[in-house]
């Protein structure tokens, strides 16, 4: 083993202090050096990631309910952020020079009061560095496979994988939708952030040509990710994880029945993340394993690529860097684990936190 691989994990670049209650979710802005953090008392903070200081603080949701999730995306525009509260509402905020707008530009009353975090639409995109400039490339049907094949395996050390990460940037507009667990906790709902209206329900009953399909026996929807594969021709796909450990892959063109159903976990699925190319992803659950999987669009199947066994059960959150090189998991054991996303081998364990990492 090389001396390089024996190096201890890096210390935090900064420790941001200010919340008076537990932090429930964080989100980086897609193009600006700011970070959004949400807490269980309803506070939404904006941080300057260069100066490591608070820019603004707002009470986005009631203190009695708190915030489940905060999310932003270039598909919404560079001046929007979305928050989801345990009060049954989702709010869209304008980002102004001094912080958040005084009132939300849109409030959706979902009447959903559980713990599944919402998902904005993920579109496959890759960036190419040309000198000091970043050029955005949208991945078309014929380029998706070539792009995936051209990725270089690279080194297996944490230092090498942390260099040159890509940022999620795209100028495509119009995909202003959000997916979340519905009022009926076993269903997934798609809401339009332009109109504030519900666009679809998964599964949707009374669909012509579809047999009756129910998700009630799977329990609550615990995790959801909406994305836009190149092959979908502009139609959303949704991957949803359930209380019984199963995952369903939906194509919005056929809301009555999922494309496929798999059960990679023996306990509730707690987190799902689709990679930047929308070719696969990673899942975490209440059991003792992390699963890296591929999405086979030709066969309409979800296939295990790598299973990673854990000494301690419980993964509450997962994330994949947009360049598809590294993945991270957040555990009940207070640790963040970094992996080579392509191979599945561990790169580092970060042990700074003293409570469950969300």
């Amino acid at each position: 083993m090389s001396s390089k691989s024996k190096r201890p994990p890096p210390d935090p670049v900064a420790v941001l202090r200010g919340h008076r209650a537990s932090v429930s979710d964080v989100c980086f802005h897609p193009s600006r050096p700011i970070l959004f953090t949400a807490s269980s008392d309803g506070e939404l903070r904006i941080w300057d990631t260069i100066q490591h200081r608070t820019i603004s603080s707002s009470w986005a949701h009631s203190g009695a309910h708190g915030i489940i999730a905060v999310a932003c995306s270039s598909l919404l525009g560079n001046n929007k952020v979305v928050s989801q509260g345990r009060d049954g509402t989702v709010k869209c905020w304008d980002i102004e020079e001094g912080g958040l707008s005084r009132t939300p530009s849109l409030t959706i009353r979902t009447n959903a009061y559980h713990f599944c975090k919402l998902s904005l639409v993920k579109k496959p995109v890759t960036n190419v560095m040309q000198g000091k400039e970043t050029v955005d490339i949208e991945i078309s049907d014929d380029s998706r496979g070539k792009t995936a094949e051209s990725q270089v395996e690279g080194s297996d050390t944490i230092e090498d994988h942390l260099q040159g990460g890509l940022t999620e940037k795209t100028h495509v507009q119009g995909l202003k939708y959000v997916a979340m667990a519905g009022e009926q906790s076993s269903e997934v709902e798609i809401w339009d952030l332009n109109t504030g209206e519900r666009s679809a329900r998964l599964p949707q009953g009374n669909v012509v040509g579809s047999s009756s399909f129910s998700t009630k026996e799977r329990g609550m929807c615990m995790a959801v990710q909406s994305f836009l594969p190149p092959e979908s021709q502009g139609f959303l796909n949704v991957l949803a994880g359930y209380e019984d450990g199963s995952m369903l892959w939906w194509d919005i063109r056929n809301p009555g029945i999922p494309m496929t159903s798999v059960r990679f976990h023996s306990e509730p699925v707690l987190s799902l993340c689709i990679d930047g190319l929308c070719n696969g992803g990673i899942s975490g659950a209440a059991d003792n394993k992390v699963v890296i999987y591929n999405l086979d669009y030709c066969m309409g199947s979800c296939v295990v690529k790598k299973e990673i066994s854990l000494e301690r059960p419980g993964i509450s959150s997962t994330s994949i860097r947009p360049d598809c090189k590294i993945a991270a998991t957040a555990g009940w054991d207070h640790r963040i684990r970094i992996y080579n996303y392509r191979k599945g081998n561990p790169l580092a364990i970060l042990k700074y936190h003293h409570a469950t990492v969300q």
Side-chain angles (χ1 to χ4, degrees), residues 92-124:
C92 187
W93 305 85
D94 293 322
I95 306 171
E96 301 173 343
E97 189 169 339
L100 291 184
S101 53
R102 286 184 172 271
T103 58
S105 57
L106 176 70
T107 298
I108 299 175
R109 303 194 180 280
T110 65
N111 296 320
Y113 299 95
H114 23 85
F115 303 96
C116 177
K117 294 182 178 182
L118 60 76
S119 168
L120 299 178
V121 179
K122 177 170 286 190
K123 178 179 173 61

Side-chain angles (χ1 to χ4, degrees), residues 10-322:
D11 292 327
V13 173
V15 179
L16 308 179
R17 303 185 187 277
H19 281 288
R20 292 170 286 274
S22 59
V23 177
S24 54
D25 201 17
V26 300
C27 175
F28 284 100
H29 190 277
S31 61
R32 295 163 59 184
I34 57 177
L35 173 72
F36 302 94
T37 60
S39 60
S40 59
D41 60 357
E43 184 184 20
L44 179 57
R45 282 183 176 248
I46 304 178
W47 302 82
D48 184 320
T49 58
I50 296 176
Q51 299 183 11
H52 306 150
R53 65 177 181 85
T54 299
I55 298 175
S56 73
S57 173
S58 304
W59 298 100
H61 296 264
S62 70
H65 299 93
I67 303 175
I68 304 173
V70 59
C72 60
S73 167
S74 53
L75 295 179
L76 295 181
N78 288 328
N79 64 337
K80 299 286 185 182
V81 64
V82 176
S83 64
Q84 176 189 17
R86 289 196 174 98
D87 54 1
T89 66
V90 170
K91 299 179 181 181
C92 187
W93 305 85
D94 293 322
I95 306 171
E96 301 173 343
E97 189 169 339
L100 291 184
S101 53
R102 286 184 172 271
T103 58
S105 57
L106 176 70
T107 298
I108 299 175
R109 303 194 180 280
T110 65
N111 296 320
Y113 299 95
H114 23 85
F115 303 96
C116 177
K117 294 182 178 182
L118 60 76
S119 168
L120 299 178
V121 179
K122 177 170 286 190
K123 178 179 173 61
V125 61
T126 187
N127 293 347
V128 176
M129 297 298 296
Q130 293 185 355
K132 295 183 179 180
E133 296 183 355
T134 303
V135 179
D136 300 335
I137 298 177
E138 296 171 25
I139 302 176
S140 60
D141 290 352
D142 58 353
S143 66
R144 181 182 62 84
K146 294 179 181 178
T147 303
E149 291 174 5
S150 66
Q151 292 177 336
V152 180
E153 291 294 336
S155 177
D156 292 335
T157 65
I158 183 66
E159 291 85 355
D160 292 329
H161 282 273
L162 290 176
Q163 299 299 318
L166 303 182
T167 57
E168 180 188 358
K169 295 177 64 180
T170 178
H171 301 294
V172 178
Q173 298 294 326
L175 297 174
K176 298 183 179 180
Y177 295 93
V178 60
M180 67 190 79
E183 184 175 1
Q184 299 297 321
S185 61
S186 64
E187 297 178 349
V188 176
E189 294 179 352
I190 311 295
W191 290 77
D192 188 331
L193 291 176
N194 290 308
T195 64
E197 300 293 329
R198 187 175 61 195
S199 300
R201 182 190 294 119
L202 306 173
Q204 183 170 314
N206 302 321
V207 176
V208 177
S210 296
S211 58
S212 178
F213 184 86
S214 174
T215 53
K216 291 182 179 180
E217 70 278 1
R218 300 176 186 272
M220 293 188 293
C221 176
M222 305 292 289
V224 63
Q225 173 75 72
S226 58
F227 59 102
L228 192 70
E231 289 84 351
S232 69
Q233 298 178 341
F235 291 92
L236 291 181
N237 279 209
V238 174
L239 194 64
Y242 294 85
E243 196 173 1
D244 68 345
S246 65
M247 292 161 48
L248 300 184
W249 181 5
W250 300 87
D251 186 325
I252 201 70
R253 290 170 291 186
N254 185 9
I257 190 168
M259 292 172 59
T260 190
S261 171
V262 294
R263 191 168 185 265
F264 297 152
H265 296 278
S266 59
E267 298 290 339
V269 178
L270 302 179
S271 179
L272 293 171
C273 184
I274 299 295
D275 63 37
L277 297 174
C278 296
N279 282 333
I282 186 171
S283 63
D287 58 13
N288 61 346
K289 64 182 176 181
V290 172
V291 176
I292 300 176
Y293 49 85
N294 288 329
L295 298 176
D296 187 330
Y297 294 107
C298 294
M299 301 298 295
S301 60
C302 184
V303 182
V304 173
K305 178 181 177 182
K306 176 81 172 183
E307 284 192 4
I308 303 170
S309 298
L310 304 173
E311 293 182 4
R312 302 178 181 89
I315 296 296
S316 57
S317 185
T318 54
S319 182
I320 304 169
R321 202 169 69 179

